[in-house]
Amino acid sequence: MKRYILLLILITDIIFFEGGIYAEDNNPSYIPRIVKIYSEEEADSLAEQGVDILRRRGDILLCLFPNTSTRSEDSRQRTRAITPTLDVAKGFYDAGSIQNGKATGTPYTGKGIVVGICDIGIDPLHPTFLDSNGQSRIKRVVQYIEEEGIRRQLDGDDDYRNWVTDTHENYHATHVCGILAGRGAGTPYSGIAADADIVVTVSTLTEVGLLAGVEDIIDYAKEAGKPAVINISVGSYNGAHDGSSLFSQYLDMCADDAIIVLSAGNEGRHYNSLISPFDRQTSSVAFHLGNTAWDEFNMYGVTEIWSGMNTPLNISLGLYDTNVKNIVRWDKPFSVDGKDIQKYIWNGEGSADEGFPFVGELLIEGGINPENGRHCTTLSYDFKSEEMSSNGGWARYELAVKVTGEPGNDVEVYADGIYTRLSGLSGSPAPTKDRSISDLACGFRVISVGMYGNRDSIPFSAPIEFQDETVYFQPSKFKYGATVDYSSYGTLRDGRVLPLTVAPGGSLMSAASRPYFERYPYHPHLRSGDTIWVDEGGTSMSSPYVAGYIATWLEADPTLTVEDVKKILASTNRLDIPEPDDPRNANGYFDPVKGLMMALNAGKIEGIEDSGMQPNPDDHIEIYDLTGVKRYAGAASGMSGIEKGLYIFKTPYGAKKIAISGKND
């Protein structure tokens, strides 16, 4: 039986923890956690206890806690599961005209920009990442193995040759990075920001590993004096979906130093949430839990029940019988708060504890989340239902849950979506797809991206055993330009409508890790010499597409902030699209050319001027050339040695494009 993966909402008097291990390791050496502190003494205390504080922003710390437990039951930590969520794509809205210069008269290819990804499965020496001298354009790779307390930094080709890859079991990072910034290695499958510097961080996809990776990319960009765009193509469906998580808060702070783009998620067709007010007509909601395999025998995962207030909701457990398609029992209601824990251990020997015919266990605990003031009850489970239904093929019994609240309150239920889904019950509000957006993408200062279809056919080679390099085509499961029903979306409690834009994502041809294909040579792919290409579809693919084009916008105006990018998207997204009324498309399709034109001409950049913004001698100023390279930063009185030309001039009073007439101006 698998170990379950749980969201950690552990509340103490002084510290709020969030995050934990992703890997199914019963006794890891370290437990990664995001920690919020309320005094410097708490940070000192953590260090004295041997906690490795990887990074810190404000009062939020990224920590590795030594695991002192020797029993797997004691070391089981709660975390939320996180999962990894172009030749044709560049034809939409004439996007390719940005790279070839037809759109503006000047090619924009990400030159002078750092692009980075936080992912898993990189092949840093894949030919798509090589420059004209055969050297990798990936300037740095940082690997985290969180549960072992390992951080490994690799700089350059010699390091990459000795290291090879972070895992032979995945090629997600290679594919994503190829879309973001690959050069194509002589194929049509080049990426977007093909002249950008690349930094890659890989991990076991804990929240700590992802955020530490973001910091590594920012560090490199600061060392290089260049703006940064970071792509994170992973998702998680537990969480309050209101931007209050420590992960979202930390990422919002990182937006001071980089524009961060996240995939919306791939749960847009699944019923993983249930949202309802409590009033005179609705005093309770009910559902039964199913697994994503649909056979319901093995139940493994996490479901969260969020109150709209700081008061706990009442929970009743029930038993759903698929033979009669109805509830055959409800237990008495209870609530859990603070240190209260309701634990069920089922032995499956007929008398089964509490009368539930399962084998395994269920843990129910709850408390007030100090970041949003709302009470959350967490159900985590790892059990089997062994009796087959009379129709065969699936389990007879399923666990049911009823949630009761007072009028004026409301409830939001979120299943993890990776292992667990929600099924409705007659007489109760039904589960919905309308809050399927990844909780990781709900921050206030990040760019969330959904997807639409962009390929009618997919190229591939015959199986390698036939030594046949002929290219064949098979139909794509996506329709050209059409809405993809599994692209995640949602309107949040505060009224925000996500994702902020929708871009090509199915299918995109991009690079794949060669070490992966050495191990799995029969995985469908296209081989061309020493290069391997695969098609993939998902918001994991549309997100780096958008991130790559944002890098070209930054090349045009290195002073753009995430707030500027959000305004550009809101102003330039295309609404003349198929199915404009589909909620997945609520904010429209991404138009990279219009976005670039606005970055060049609109907003705070008011045209070419002589140096008309006169700062005071002690004012801090920054000067960038039009490739994005920072040419000066410091007091205005110390500026010298700037060659004649056009620059972005940033002062405390704003930023403008200016003409400098000669050195020392």
Side-chain angles (χ1 to χ4, degrees), residues 470-483:
T470 302
V471 176
Y472 300 88
F473 290 87
Q474 63 184 10
S476 170
K477 61 183 178 181
F478 303 99
K479 293 183 179 179
Y480 186 84
T483 300

Side-chain angles (χ1 to χ4, degrees), residues 92-93 450-454 479 481-484 502-506 542 589-590:
F92 284 95
Y93 306 121
M451 67 171 289
Y452 63 83
N454 61 275
K479 293 183 179 179
T483 300
V484 176
V502 182
S542 60
Y589 281 10
F590 181 62

Side-chain angles (χ1 to χ4, degrees), residues 93 500-502 546 550 553 564-577 587-600 602:
Y93 306 121
L500 296 180
T501 193
V502 182
V546 170
I550 290 175
W553 300 356
D564 297 326
V565 172
K566 289 172 70 174
K567 289 177 183 177
I568 290 172
L569 292 174
S571 299
T572 62
N573 278 341
R574 300 290 292 260
L575 299 177
D576 53 336
I577 58 177
N587 287 313
Y589 281 10
F590 181 62
D591 189 327
V593 176
K594 283 189 174 181
L596 175 63
M597 299 305 293
M598 187 170 177
L600 283 167

Side-chain angles (χ1 to χ4, degrees), residues 305-326:
I305 302 169
W306 287 87
S307 169
M309 300 179 177
N310 61 5
T311 53
L313 301 171
N314 287 322
I315 309 296
S316 301
L317 296 185
L319 194 63
Y320 181 81
D321 187 340
T322 61
N323 283 352
V324 299
K325 294 182 172 58
N326 209 344

Side-chain angles (χ1 to χ4, degrees), residues 25-43:
D25 185 342
N26 289 344
N27 197 24
S29 299
Y30 291 87
I31 309 297
R33 291 174 176 166
I34 308 176
V35 176
K36 187 170 186 177
I37 60 171
Y38 299 91
S39 72
E40 290 305 312
E41 289 75 14
E42 293 167 13

